[in-house]
Amino acid sequence: MATSTPRAGAHTEGRNMGNQKPRILPWLVWQLDQGQLEGVSWLDPSRKRFRIPWKHGLRQDTQMEDFGIFRAWAEASGAYIPGRDKPDLSTWKRNFRSALNRKEGLRLVDDRSKDPYDPHKVYEFVSSGAGDFVQLDSSPETNGGSSISDAQGDLLELLDDMSLAPLPGKGPSGLAVTPECSQPLLSPNLDSLPNMVPQDNPLRQLLVAEEQQWEFEVTAFYRGRHVFQQTIFCPGGLRLVGCEASDRTLRWQPVILPDPGLSLTDGPVRNCVRRVLDCLGKGLALWRVGQHLWARRLGHSHSYWAIGEELLPDSGRGPDGEVPKDKDGEVFDLGPFVADLIAFMEGSGRSPRYTLWFCVGEPWPQDQPWVKRLVMVKVVPTCLRALLDMARVGGASSLENTVDLHISNSQPLSLTSDQYKAYLLDLVEDMDLQVTGED
């Protein structure tokens, strides 16, 4: 089978007069009949059932040919012009899926997108044959108002991405792993919406859902001396402060760093640390929104941050940034962590980094050992540490079949190594990450 991706716009039936956007069903039938796109083919003589390759972008064996059908539709629909637009594989795939979901004459009958050897989806025309759609759906698409079925398709697409409901009969956590099954019929009939939600990805439920609280382990060092450690759930986030009189009307839960007089004997150093803590004022806030962690400085003490190893703050390479004053600054994105975790499971050798280090009141310790800094604070999202532990041992099955991700309202999670990796790949696709190394 050919491995090159033909230009979708080369077909005269794919484009109508005036460069109008083609209808996807006759365009798709023509692509299937041509058989020039890798993995896109009819499955039965009646030309009703066909397959589309559906590989996750961060698999090691991914090639551009695996996205041929998505790119071809992006070109045919005018969403991508080679040489002008930057390739966007995740958007191509999402737009193609959305276009198919909006069609009443098509249904998804088998979702094998998580198959480790041949990830694909099987669709079926629900009329007497593919030829009907060449006749019935041949008018060009326009930028006019959407039909009712298009709007319903958008709603179904949104539900598909959000995975709002837990698995039926599995309790409130929805964490039980069940065998993979076929995707339900993607019909525009709103009466069937309760049955449309696909199997939940437990990692998405736990890591990204806003209602779930992450647990944070906070450790403080004064001049390199370990002086404080606390592990807490914070509904609205945490706030590092230097005294109990700090403003408690703020939404972030205060974490009070100890008085240096309890641990430091050097008078000048003790006084300098105390001054840094006093200048924290209302504190240094840290909180989560979806897959991101955000920070904000509320007082006078400047703070610099970096993502480092759990034991060391990577002081030699400098900070990732300074926590902004009185405005939100992103300090962590779950997406790159999950991508690095998958690469680690596939043998990259480097563990993903997940520990936040803050240097408070002084410049980042780039030119001297970090233990010389007056106040260093380490914040570990314990769920990310647990995810890495699972990857190191090859899945929770090696940890007496369960692992606690240290997330509120969750039950211990049990996954095999293959299930774990498949859920990580699914999570990456939802986060719209680009394929590593893409120009």
Side-chain angles (χ1 to χ4, degrees):
M1 182 174 293
T3 58
S4 61
T5 303
R7 288 289 304 272
H11 183 302
T12 57
E13 292 184 13
R15 285 280 194 181
N16 289 302
M17 294 182 298
N19 290 326
Q20 292 172 310
K21 182 178 178 180
R23 291 289 185 179
I24 190 171
L25 293 188
W27 176 89
L28 182 58
V29 168
W30 182 83
Q31 295 289 352
L32 287 162
D33 287 343
Q34 294 297 305
Q36 293 181 311
L37 292 173
E38 185 74 25
V40 179
S41 60
W42 294 111
L43 295 179
D44 63 334
S46 64
R47 295 165 67 242
K48 291 185 62 175
R49 185 169 291 201
F50 60 92
R51 52 165 285 148
I52 299 291
W54 216 276
K55 185 179 291 187
H56 286 275
L58 288 184
R59 285 176 52 137
Q60 284 187 326
D61 59 347
T62 294
Q63 299 178 2
M64 182 59 74
E65 289 78 12
D66 299 317
F67 294 85
I69 187 67
F70 310 129
R71 170 175 174 160
W73 174 243
E75 289 189 40
S77 63
Y80 170 65
I81 299 178
R84 187 198 73 178
D85 301 327
K86 182 179 179 180
D88 189 345
L89 307 186
S90 60
T91 299
W92 294 348
K93 180 188 288 187
R94 188 186 319 112
N95 289 346
F96 180 82
R97 179 179 61 179
S98 179
L100 293 189
N101 286 357
R102 293 172 181 172
K103 296 305 176 184
E104 298 182 33
L106 195 67
R107 66 177 178 180
L108 177 63
V109 294
D110 197 1
D111 184 353
R112 296 185 178 271
S113 59
K114 295 180 178 62
D115 188 308
Y117 303 106
D118 182 22
H120 65 279
K121 292 185 178 182
V122 176
Y123 287 89
E124 183 179 59
F125 291 111
V126 294
S127 77
S128 58
D132 295 344
F133 296 99
V134 177
Q135 301 300 322
L136 297 177
D137 195 23
S138 59
S139 59
E141 292 189 4
T142 66
N143 293 325
S146 299
S147 67
I148 295 177
S149 62
D150 283 345
Q152 294 172 349
D154 287 337
L155 178 57
L156 293 178
E157 183 75 8
L158 181 62
L159 290 175
D160 187 12
D161 287 339
M162 295 178 68
S163 295
L164 297 175
L167 287 173
K170 298 299 181 183
S173 67
L175 294 182
V177 177
T178 60
E180 211 171 283
C181 59
S182 298
Q183 191 83 350
L185 173 66
L186 291 176
S187 165
N189 181 1
L190 292 180
D191 293 337
S192 60
L193 279 179
N195 298 321
M196 291 297 174
V197 182
Q199 177 177 318
D200 289 323
N201 181 338
L203 297 184
R204 187 192 303 116
Q205 287 183 316
L206 293 174
L207 298 176
V208 182
E210 299 293 341
E211 65 272 12
Q212 294 285 8
Q213 301 172 29
W214 286 14
E215 180 186 74
F216 294 96
E217 179 187 271
V218 182
T219 308
F221 302 85
Y222 296 163
R223 197 75 169 186
R225 181 190 296 270
H226 183 291
V227 297
F228 172 86
Q229 187 171 75
Q230 183 179 5
T231 302
I232 54 174
F233 283 105
C234 308
L238 60 88
R239 183 165 52 95
L240 302 175
V241 296
C243 63
E244 294 192 28
S246 176
D247 189 349
R248 290 183 176 271
T249 63
L250 299 172
R251 63 184 175 90
W252 303 286
Q253 179 175 332
V255 176
I256 303 171
L257 301 179
D259 186 285
L262 301 175
S263 54
L264 300 180
T265 57
D266 187 315
V269 172
R270 183 174 60 239
N271 292 336
C272 288
V273 171
R274 187 171 287 129
R275 177 171 175 78
V276 170
L277 297 181
D278 289 342
C279 289
L280 269 173
K282 294 182 179 180
L284 176 64
L286 178 71
W287 69 98
R288 181 181 73 90
V289 178
Q291 69 185 63
H292 302 277
L293 293 178
W294 299 82
R296 180 192 299 178
R297 174 167 67 92
L298 304 173
H300 296 296
S301 289
H302 288 255
S303 299
Y304 299 85
W305 66 274
I307 300 291
E309 305 288 349
E310 190 162 338
L311 298 179
L312 298 171
D314 286 353
S315 56
R317 68 180 177 87
D320 288 320
E322 180 178 359
V323 178
K325 168 71 172 172
D326 293 331
K327 64 179 182 179
D328 302 346
E330 182 183 318
V331 296
F332 181 80
D333 183 351
L334 182 63
F337 170 85
V338 174
D340 289 344
L341 187 61
I342 294 169
F344 175 76
M345 295 180 69
E346 293 178 341
S348 69
R350 176 181 172 179
S351 300
R353 297 179 178 181
Y354 56 87
T355 301
L356 273 167
W357 286 86
F358 295 94
C359 181
V360 183
E362 296 178 283
W364 184 261
Q366 190 168 0
D367 300 323
Q368 59 178 290
W370 70 273
V371 294
K372 297 293 185 180
R373 284 297 181 258
L374 294 172
V375 179
M376 294 287 293
V377 179
K378 178 179 71 172
V379 181
V380 177
T382 54
C383 61
L384 304 185
R385 178 197 287 160
L387 288 175
L388 179 56
D389 289 342
M390 286 178 64
R392 282 174 172 157
V393 300
S397 57
S398 300
L399 297 174
E400 297 181 355
N401 297 322
T402 62
V403 64
D404 186 356
L405 289 185
H406 304 277
I407 298 175
S408 64
N409 303 321
S410 67
Q411 301 296 324
L413 182 65
S414 177
L415 295 174
T416 67
S417 180
D418 288 343
Q419 290 167 337
Y420 181 40
K421 185 176 178 181
Y423 281 132
L424 289 173
L425 287 166
D426 181 66
L427 195 62
V428 164
E429 183 170 324
D430 281 355
M431 291 174 179
D432 294 334
L433 291 182
Q434 300 295 324
V435 174
T436 303
E438 181 185 331
D439 294 333

